[in-house]
Amino acid sequence: MSELLTYEDIRSHGRSDSSWDSQHTQNTKKLGVGCIVQDYIISALLGKGGVSSVFQASALCADNPQPTIAIKVTPQTSQIPRGHQDLLTESRLTAQASHPNLPTVYGYGVVNGEVYTAMEMVDGWNLKQLLSRVGPLPMSVAISLALQICEGL
């Protein structure tokens, strides 16, 4: 299990790296804004779904090739029948897939009972946002979008 740090943990102890003596941190923190995952600091909540939340995260190092990523966080809950194993399998399979309609997965794991997937940040609207902004789509556009979704699966 990975260790969870916040920017304040590091700053208050004068440390600038993520190798931290675990006896100085509380392992009850939940992933959210201000937390560090891999080499990124979570900077904003992008959206929430039925079970997961997606955050924007910024690289801690200026020379990181992916300066901004998305991090999907799913807590362990009774809403996920088989729990972490299913979520980690989903992350692993997504990481193995390579398709223009899928985001690149940079890493995944479990921190304090929450499964996270660090992935490519994709700008734009999701399907729900598109439909709420433009209303019903013409049949040809709906079919085109459905085909693109299926290609990614």
Side-chain angles (χ1 to χ4, degrees), residues 1-146:
M1 177 143 79
S2 298
E3 178 180 0
L4 179 62
L5 300 175
T6 65
Y7 176 74
E8 289 303 316
D9 290 332
I10 294 170
R11 218 175 112 225
S12 67
H13 289 87
R15 297 292 299 263
S16 61
D17 61 73
S18 61
S19 59
W20 184 260
D21 183 358
S22 62
Q23 66 184 335
H24 294 101
T25 62
Q26 293 181 357
N27 288 326
T28 58
K29 296 176 185 170
K30 296 293 181 189
L31 287 175
V33 174
C35 294
I36 294 172
V37 177
Q38 293 184 350
D39 295 328
Y40 294 87
I41 183 166
I42 297 176
S43 54
L45 175 66
L46 296 175
K48 284 186 165 192
V51 192
S52 301
S53 299
V54 178
F55 296 92
Q56 178 177 324
S58 304
L60 293 171
C61 300
D63 62 349
N64 191 311
Q66 289 84 29
T68 303
I69 65 169
I71 297 180
K72 176 183 171 184
V73 176
T74 308
Q76 174 68 31
T77 70
S78 60
Q79 296 174 357
I80 307 165
R82 291 188 295 236
H84 286 157
Q85 195 56 47
D86 283 354
L87 295 167
L88 290 170
T89 299
E90 175 188 328
S91 295
R92 181 181 50 78
L93 292 173
T94 305
Q96 292 173 349
S98 176
H99 192 278
N101 294 0
L102 294 175
T104 301
V105 173
Y106 303 122
Y108 55 90
V110 179
V111 176
N112 295 340
E114 298 180 293
V115 175
Y116 74 88
T117 305
M119 65 186 86
E120 173 185 11
M121 176 73 127
V122 179
D123 286 328
W125 298 341
N126 64 34
L127 186 56
K128 182 178 179 179
Q129 292 168 326
L130 174 66
L131 293 174
S132 72
R133 288 187 169 101
V134 302
L137 301 172
M139 184 64 71
S140 62
V141 173
I143 290 171
S144 174
L145 289 175

